[in-house]
Amino acid sequence: MASSSIPKTMRGILIEKTGGSEVLQYRTDLPVPEPKDGEILVKNEFIGINYIDTYYRTGLYPAPKPEILGREASGTVLSTGPGNTYSLSAGDRVVWMATGGYAEYTACPAAKAIKIPSAISSADACAAILQGLTAVTLVEEAHKVLSGDTILVHAAAGGVGLWLCQVLRAKGAKVIGTASTDAKRVEAKMNGASVCCGYEKEEVLELVKKETNGEGVRAVFDGVGKSTWDISLEAVARKGSVISFGNASGAVEPFAISRLSAKNVKIARPTFFGYIVTRDEFERYANELFKMMIEDKFNVKIHEVYPLQDVARAHNDLEGRKTTGKLLLKP
């Protein structure tokens, strides 16, 4: 698309203050950004919604306002800025991760955009890139999972949870999953969990004991936070790892580090983007994810594609635990 045919304004979602979903403003007069050095301008086709978006909206994670939320999208490159754009050019179908996704157009760093393989749809690429890469990096970097390991995944039917189940199964691990409803537990099993249960402490610990002959799990991947933290510490095996990567129930409260000594437990609180700082890291893990999606025929679970103007409903559904899989917006 020639620069003369790129519009000056666009539709998007702006937040000017923190709060509930009511602060998400649907606007039709936002300026279309211009790509700066090392950036590309993408016309977004699908936009991803993540739980972290609610953290920035509520202020749990501080960020300057006004702000356009959104960490990833897929679409078509319209133009490129000066500098290194990693061989990306106008017309390429790409998926990207950065900021400013809740809009028709985004100027994003080319270093965090990659061409989508022809075997993968734009919707699936958008649904996969952040949550799928989160799962891949967690099992490779936060705790190196080996074939035969038994792993506990909280919120196993959530966005990252379903990806963790599939990636862990592909790695040869046995997955114990927690989920809030029978339907979600069925979904988790369809995507790789061996056994599932609810969130009640006694129920989880009894299942872990049964499935590990009393030893505990090699690692816990916990995206729930406050309400599951004590369960995770009790469920993990001696010399195991507890990986806390989300706060769906609230932030983990301060605790005495001496609690870890009884079983020599390791804990980590990684942020996904810390694993893909370099272009090489991003390309390595993105290509590994795409390969698994194609060769292992991963199920890309899309809960719903919401019109952009319905973003408040999408946030409410996500926070109300009414969803299974990925939520997308369509500009």
Side-chain angles (χ1 to χ4, degrees):
M1 181 182 289
S3 59
S4 60
S5 61
I6 297 174
K8 300 295 184 184
T9 60
M10 65 179 182
R11 294 177 295 117
I13 306 299
L14 190 72
I15 60 171
E16 297 180 299
K17 60 182 180 180
T18 59
S21 61
E22 72 279 355
V23 304
L24 296 161
Q25 302 175 45
Y26 176 68
R27 299 277 290 271
T28 59
D29 59 350
L30 298 175
V32 173
E34 294 185 9
K36 299 180 177 65
D37 187 68
E39 291 185 339
I40 57 175
L41 179 66
V42 179
K43 180 176 174 59
N44 296 323
E45 184 180 359
F46 294 95
I47 301 159
I49 297 176
N50 299 283
Y51 217 101
I52 195 172
D53 299 346
T54 71
Y55 300 160
Y56 285 108
R57 191 203 72 219
T58 62
L60 179 63
Y61 288 2
K65 302 293 184 284
E67 179 183 16
I68 297 175
L69 299 176
R71 312 287 284 187
E72 86 270 51
S74 60
T76 304
V77 178
L78 298 187
S79 64
T80 60
N84 186 3
T85 57
Y86 298 93
S87 301
L88 297 174
S89 58
D92 286 342
R93 192 170 64 104
V94 299
V95 61
W96 61 261
M97 293 187 302
T99 56
Y102 287 12
E104 285 185 276
Y105 302 90
T106 302
C108 66
K112 290 297 183 283
I114 193 166
K115 291 181 184 179
I116 302 170
S118 59
I120 298 175
S121 71
S122 294
D124 283 357
C126 182
I129 193 65
L130 198 152
Q131 293 175 336
L133 276 185
T134 297
V136 171
T137 55
L138 285 173
V139 304
E140 287 291 332
E141 299 260 13
H143 176 91
K144 179 68 173 178
V145 175
L146 303 177
S147 179
D149 285 349
T150 300
I151 307 295
L152 175 61
V153 176
H154 288 304
V160 175
L162 288 176
W163 285 101
L164 276 168
C165 288
Q166 294 187 90
V167 172
L168 288 165
R169 178 173 60 185
K171 297 284 185 183
K174 178 180 181 180
V175 179
I176 300 171
T178 61
S180 59
T181 68
D182 287 341
K184 289 187 176 185
R185 291 188 280 272
V186 169
E187 189 73 32
K189 288 181 180 179
M190 290 174 60
N191 284 273
S194 298
V195 292
C196 289
C197 65
Y199 288 103
E200 291 297 323
K201 185 175 183 178
E202 293 76 13
E203 183 182 11
V204 178
L205 296 180
E206 183 61 31
L207 184 59
V208 166
K209 181 179 179 181
K210 175 184 175 183
E211 296 296 325
T212 64
N213 295 318
E215 294 184 1
V217 294
R218 295 310 311 158
V220 183
F221 291 104
D222 188 343
V224 176
K226 181 179 179 179
S227 68
T228 52
W229 183 245
D230 284 340
I231 299 173
S232 298
L233 288 179
E234 291 194 36
V236 71
R238 183 178 66 88
K239 298 195 294 184
S241 303
V242 177
I243 312 301
S244 175
F245 67 93
N247 309 298
S249 66
V252 174
E253 295 179 342
F255 67 98
I257 197 169
S258 58
R259 289 185 63 187
L260 308 177
S261 63
K263 294 188 289 187
N264 286 6
V265 171
K266 298 180 288 292
I267 62 171
R269 183 54 176 91
T271 59
F272 159 62
F273 284 95
Y275 290 134
I276 56 161
V277 172
T278 69
R279 177 67 182 183
D280 286 346
E281 288 172 331
F282 174 59
E283 285 189 352
R284 172 193 165 192
Y285 287 124
N287 288 327
E288 181 176 347
L289 173 63
F290 291 153
K291 183 171 183 266
M292 294 173 100
M293 288 174 66
I294 296 168
E295 294 184 359
D296 293 303
K297 295 180 171 56
F298 277 9
N299 173 36
V300 182
K301 175 67 175 179
I302 297 174
H303 173 75
E304 185 175 339
V305 179
Y306 299 76
L308 183 62
Q309 59 267 30
D310 287 355
V311 64
R313 178 169 65 87
H315 272 228
N316 291 337
D317 288 350
L318 185 62
E319 292 177 290
R321 289 191 176 180
K322 298 177 181 177
T323 67
T324 303
K326 184 69 175 181
L327 283 65
L328 299 179
L329 295 170
K330 181 79 171 171

